Coordinates of all heavy atoms in Angstrom, one line a residue:
G685 N 86.1 34.3 111.8 CA 84.9 33.4 111.5 C 85.2 32.3 110.5 O 84.3 31.8 109.9
K686 N 86.4 31.8 110.5 CA 86.8 30.7 109.6 C 86.1 29.4 110.1 O 86.0 29.2 111.3 CB 88.3 30.6 109.5 CG 89.0 31.7 108.8 CD 90.5 31.4 108.7 CE 91.2 32.5 107.9 NZ 92.6 32.1 107.6
I687 N 85.8 28.6 109.1 CA 85.3 27.3 109.4 C 86.3 26.3 108.9 O 86.7 26.2 107.7 CB 84.0 27.0 108.6 CG1 82.9 28.0 109.1 CG2 83.5 25.6 108.9 CD1 81.6 28.0 108.2
Y688 N 86.9 25.5 109.8 CA 88.0 24.6 109.5 C 87.4 23.2 109.2 O 86.4 22.8 109.9 CB 88.9 24.5 110.7 CG 89.7 25.8 110.9 CD1 89.2 26.8 111.7 CD2 90.9 26.0 110.3 CE1 89.8 28.0 111.8 CE2 91.6 27.2 110.4 CZ 91.1 28.2 111.2 OH 91.7 29.4 111.3
T689 N 87.9 22.6 108.2 CA 87.4 21.3 107.7 C 88.5 20.3 107.5 O 89.4 20.5 106.8 CB 86.6 21.5 106.4 OG1 85.6 22.5 106.6 CG2 85.9 20.2 106.0
M690 N 88.3 19.1 108.1 CA 89.1 17.9 107.9 C 88.4 17.0 106.9 O 87.3 16.5 107.3 CB 89.5 17.2 109.2 CG 90.4 17.9 110.1 SD 90.7 17.0 111.6 CE 91.7 15.7 111.0
L691 N 88.9 16.8 105.7 CA 88.3 16.0 104.7 C 88.9 14.6 104.8 O 90.1 14.4 104.9 CB 88.5 16.5 103.3 CG 87.8 17.9 103.1 CD1 88.3 18.4 101.7 CD2 86.3 17.7 103.1
Y692 N 88.0 13.6 104.7 CA 88.5 12.2 104.7 C 89.3 11.8 106.0 O 90.3 11.1 105.9 CB 89.2 11.8 103.5 CG 88.5 12.1 102.2 CD1 89.0 13.1 101.3 CD2 87.3 11.5 101.9 CE1 88.3 13.4 100.2 CE2 86.6 11.8 100.8 CZ 87.1 12.7 99.9 OH 86.4 13.0 98.8
A693 N 88.9 12.3 107.1 CA 89.6 12.1 108.4 C 89.6 10.6 108.7 O 90.4 10.1 109.5 CB 88.9 12.8 109.5
D694 N 88.7 9.8 108.1 CA 88.6 8.4 108.4 C 89.8 7.7 107.8 O 90.1 6.5 108.1 CB 87.3 7.8 107.8 CG 87.1 8.2 106.4 OD1 86.9 9.4 106.1 OD2 87.2 7.3 105.5
E695 N 90.6 8.3 106.9 CA 91.7 7.7 106.3 C 93.0 7.9 107.0 O 94.1 7.3 106.7 CB 91.9 8.3 104.8 CG 90.8 7.8 103.9 CD 91.2 8.1 102.4 OE1 92.3 8.4 102.1 OE2 90.2 8.1 101.6
L696 N 93.0 8.7 108.1 CA 94.2 8.9 108.9 C 94.6 7.5 109.6 O 93.8 6.7 109.9 CB 93.9 9.9 110.1 CG 93.7 11.3 109.6 CD1 93.3 12.2 110.8 CD2 94.9 11.9 108.9
S697 N 95.9 7.3 109.7 CA 96.4 6.1 110.4 C 95.9 6.1 111.8 O 95.5 7.1 112.4 CB 97.9 6.1 110.3 OG 98.4 7.0 111.2
Y698 N 95.9 4.9 112.4 CA 95.5 4.8 113.8 C 96.3 5.7 114.8 O 95.7 6.4 115.6 CB 95.6 3.3 114.2 CG 95.2 3.0 115.6 CD1 93.8 2.9 116.0 CD2 96.1 2.9 116.7 CE1 93.4 2.7 117.3 CE2 95.7 2.7 118.0 CZ 94.3 2.6 118.3 OH 93.9 2.4 119.6
D699 N 97.6 5.7 114.6 CA 98.4 6.5 115.5 C 98.1 8.0 115.4 O 98.0 8.7 116.4 CB 99.9 6.2 115.2 CG 100.4 4.8 115.6 OD1 99.7 4.2 116.4 OD2 101.4 4.3 115.0
V700 N 98.0 8.4 114.2 CA 97.7 9.9 113.9 C 96.3 10.2 114.5 O 96.1 11.2 115.1 CB 97.8 10.2 112.4 CG1 97.4 11.6 112.1 CG2 99.3 10.0 112.0
S701 N 95.4 9.3 114.3 CA 94.0 9.5 114.8 C 94.0 9.6 116.3 O 93.3 10.5 116.9 CB 93.1 8.4 114.3 OG 92.9 8.4 112.9
C702 N 94.7 8.7 117.0 CA 94.8 8.8 118.4 C 95.4 10.1 118.9 O 94.9 10.7 119.8 CB 95.6 7.6 119.0 SG 94.9 6.0 118.8
R703 N 96.5 10.5 118.3 CA 97.1 11.8 118.6 C 96.2 13.0 118.4 O 96.1 13.9 119.2 CB 98.4 11.9 117.8 CG 99.2 13.2 118.1 CD 99.7 13.2 119.5 NE 100.2 14.5 119.8 CZ 99.8 15.3 120.8 NH1 99.0 14.8 121.7 NH2 100.3 16.5 121.0
A704 N 95.5 12.9 117.3 CA 94.5 14.0 117.0 C 93.4 14.1 118.0 O 93.1 15.2 118.5 CB 93.9 13.8 115.6
E705 N 92.9 13.0 118.5 CA 91.9 13.0 119.5 C 92.4 13.5 120.8 O 91.8 14.4 121.5 CB 91.3 11.6 119.7 CG 90.2 11.6 120.8 CD 89.8 10.2 121.2 OE1 90.6 9.3 121.0 OE2 88.7 10.1 121.8
E706 N 93.6 13.1 121.2 CA 94.3 13.6 122.4 C 94.5 15.1 122.4 O 94.2 15.8 123.3 CB 95.6 12.9 122.6 CG 95.5 11.5 123.0 CD 96.9 10.8 123.0 OE1 98.0 11.5 123.0 OE2 97.0 9.6 123.0
L707 N 95.0 15.6 121.3 CA 95.3 17.0 121.1 C 94.0 17.8 121.1 O 94.0 18.9 121.7 CB 96.1 17.2 119.8 CG 96.6 18.7 119.6 CD1 97.5 19.1 120.7 CD2 97.3 18.8 118.3
F708 N 93.0 17.3 120.4 CA 91.7 18.0 120.4 C 91.2 18.2 121.9 O 90.8 19.3 122.2 CB 90.7 17.2 119.6 CG 89.3 17.8 119.6 CD1 89.1 18.9 118.7 CD2 88.3 17.4 120.5 CE1 87.8 19.5 118.7 CE2 87.1 18.1 120.5 CZ 86.8 19.1 119.6
K709 N 91.3 17.1 122.7 CA 90.8 17.2 124.1 C 91.6 18.2 124.8 O 91.1 19.0 125.7 CB 90.9 15.9 124.7 CG 89.8 14.9 124.2 CD 89.9 13.6 124.9 CE 88.8 12.6 124.3 NZ 88.9 11.3 124.9
Q710 N 92.9 18.3 124.6 CA 93.8 19.3 125.3 C 93.5 20.7 124.9 O 93.4 21.6 125.7 CB 95.3 19.0 125.0 CG 95.8 17.7 125.6 CD 97.2 17.4 125.1 OE1 97.8 18.1 124.4 NE2 97.7 16.2 125.5
L711 N 93.3 20.9 123.6 CA 93.2 22.3 123.1 C 91.8 22.8 123.2 O 91.5 24.0 123.1 CB 93.6 22.3 121.6 CG 95.1 22.1 121.3 CD1 95.3 22.1 119.8 CD2 96.0 23.1 122.0
Q712 N 90.8 21.9 123.3 CA 89.4 22.3 123.3 C 89.1 23.3 124.5 O 88.3 24.1 124.4 CB 88.5 21.1 123.4 CG 87.1 21.4 123.3 CD 86.2 20.1 123.4 OE1 86.7 19.1 123.8 NE2 85.0 20.1 122.9
C713 N 89.9 23.2 125.6 CA 89.6 24.0 126.7 C 90.0 25.5 126.5 O 89.6 26.4 127.2 CB 90.4 23.5 127.9 SG 92.2 23.5 127.8
Y714 N 90.8 25.7 125.4 CA 91.2 27.1 125.2 C 90.2 27.9 124.5 O 90.2 29.2 124.5 CB 92.5 27.1 124.3 CG 93.7 26.7 125.0 CD1 94.2 25.4 124.8 CD2 94.4 27.5 125.9 CE1 95.4 25.0 125.4 CE2 95.5 27.0 126.6 CZ 96.0 25.8 126.3 OH 97.1 25.3 127.0
S715 N 89.2 27.3 123.8 CA 88.2 28.0 123.1 C 86.9 27.2 123.0 O 87.0 26.0 122.7 CB 88.7 28.4 121.7 OG 87.7 29.0 121.0
S716 N 85.8 27.9 123.2 CA 84.5 27.2 123.1 C 83.9 27.7 121.8 O 82.7 27.3 121.5 CB 83.7 27.5 124.3 OG 83.4 28.9 124.4
S717 N 84.5 28.6 121.0 CA 83.9 29.2 119.9 C 84.6 28.7 118.6 O 84.4 29.3 117.5 CB 84.0 30.7 119.9 OG 85.3 31.1 119.9
Y718 N 85.2 27.6 118.6 CA 85.8 27.1 117.4 C 84.8 26.5 116.4 O 83.7 26.2 116.9 CB 86.9 25.9 117.7 CG 86.2 24.7 118.4 CD1 85.7 23.7 117.6 CD2 86.1 24.6 119.7 CE1 85.1 22.6 118.2 CE2 85.6 23.5 120.3 CZ 85.1 22.5 119.6 OH 84.5 21.4 120.2
R719 N 85.1 26.4 115.2 CA 84.2 25.9 114.2 C 85.0 24.8 113.4 O 85.8 25.2 112.5 CB 83.6 27.0 113.3 CG 82.9 28.0 114.1 CD 82.0 28.9 113.4 NE 82.6 29.7 112.3 CZ 81.9 30.5 111.5 NH1 80.6 30.7 111.7 NH2 82.5 31.2 110.6

């Protein structure tokens, strides 16, 4: 039941942000119960 938190995600570089969005879309299909 952990709640994961990214603080100040707006400060990530453009490249890292793009990669994070891509990875989120890929991994989201593995679980619908993430927090």
